[in-house]
Amino acid sequence: MECPKILVLFYGYGSIVDLAKNVAEGAKEITKEVKLARVKEYFPQEIVNKFRIPIDTVKDIPEATLSDLEWADGIVMGSPTRYGNMTGQLKLFLDQTAELWIKGSLYGKPVGFFTEASTMHGGHESTILAMANYAYHHGMIIVPVGYGIKEVSSTMTGGSPYGASHLGNKKELDENEINIAKFLGKRVAEVAKKLRC
């Protein structure tokens, strides 16, 4: 049986990149076909400069294309929360998927989600639910973390039944957040593998 191809798609810098890399590590427990791709920065250079957006820190990760979405058998996507929603950059990227929707390119593909917010109630779950709206319209199969890993019940920082997350008031991911992110990547890859049979 051919290994499933998993795309870990994200926008952002810092801890969201760390989450994405851990999601990818989890997926690699099931398949070697894992692609990490970032949504490009749409902010104008003056905003990038003003807010010191660290674009250079992700320059080695390729920019995502719509073809990456078609290539994948399963997708895990992530975004920092912006006022309880995904970032405008990820939304703009997803808003360009109309052609894929018309062709049914994403129909039936499993998808999971991850996020980070600087406060406990800053939008961890609402951001995941906002990203899921695209999945519903594309007819994708939403793969949550659920309570399939004990850390979801014990975490005092990020991670929930909805998906992996990071409480960004501390710089580095803690052990629970890492384990939940890896579990999410592995779970989406497992579901993608089962659907290929």
Side-chain angles (χ1 to χ4, degrees):
M1 181 191 348
E2 215 178 297
C3 289
K5 299 185 290 287
I6 304 299
L7 173 66
V8 181
L9 169 72
F10 72 95
Y11 166 78
Y13 310 94
S15 58
I16 200 76
V17 181
D18 296 334
L19 276 173
K21 288 178 178 177
N22 279 286
V23 167
E25 283 301 310
K28 287 176 185 173
E29 292 182 35
I30 303 300
T31 179
K32 293 178 183 172
E33 296 260 23
V34 179
K35 184 185 288 187
L36 189 63
R38 63 183 170 89
V39 172
K40 76 177 187 176
E41 183 56 74
Y42 290 101
F43 276 141
Q45 192 61 46
E46 63 189 62
I47 298 295
V48 170
N49 295 342
K50 181 176 182 180
F51 292 104
R52 298 186 181 121
I53 297 173
I55 292 175
D56 286 350
T57 61
V58 294
K59 66 182 177 192
D60 295 334
I61 300 171
E63 286 185 359
T65 66
L66 296 183
S67 297
D68 291 330
L69 296 172
E70 289 187 287
W71 167 86
D73 298 309
I75 299 165
V76 191
M77 69 174 73
S79 167
T81 186
R82 292 294 184 269
Y83 308 107
N85 204 337
M86 74 183 94
T87 61
Q89 289 87 339
L90 180 60
K91 185 176 187 310
L92 182 56
F93 179 80
L94 295 174
D95 280 348
Q96 297 174 59
T97 60
E99 183 181 332
L100 303 185
W101 174 77
I102 290 166
K103 295 191 297 185
S105 300
L106 305 182
Y107 194 86
K109 291 185 180 187
V111 61
F113 306 99
F114 60 98
T115 189
E116 65 92 15
S118 59
T119 62
M120 183 63 79
H121 303 291
H124 293 252
E125 293 168 358
S126 63
T127 299
I128 287 172
L129 292 171
M131 289 186 281
N133 285 330
Y134 284 87
Y136 292 121
H137 285 268
H138 280 285
M140 302 177 83
I141 298 168
I142 294 172
V143 180
V145 170
Y147 288 90
I149 181 172
K150 65 179 174 47
E151 286 85 342
V152 170
S153 296
S154 61
T155 183
M156 298 301 287
T157 55
S160 75
Y162 295 81
S165 65
H166 170 63
L167 180 58
N169 63 1
K170 53 188 185 43
K171 192 167 185 171
E172 296 183 4
L173 306 185
D174 69 19
E175 189 176 343
N176 286 339
E177 293 170 334
I178 289 168
N179 290 339
I180 293 167
K182 288 181 178 178
F183 179 84
L184 175 63
K186 181 178 180 181
R187 183 158 156 74
V188 171
E190 285 173 336
V191 172
K193 186 174 181 179
K194 288 177 182 177
L195 289 170
R196 288 182 62 86
C197 296

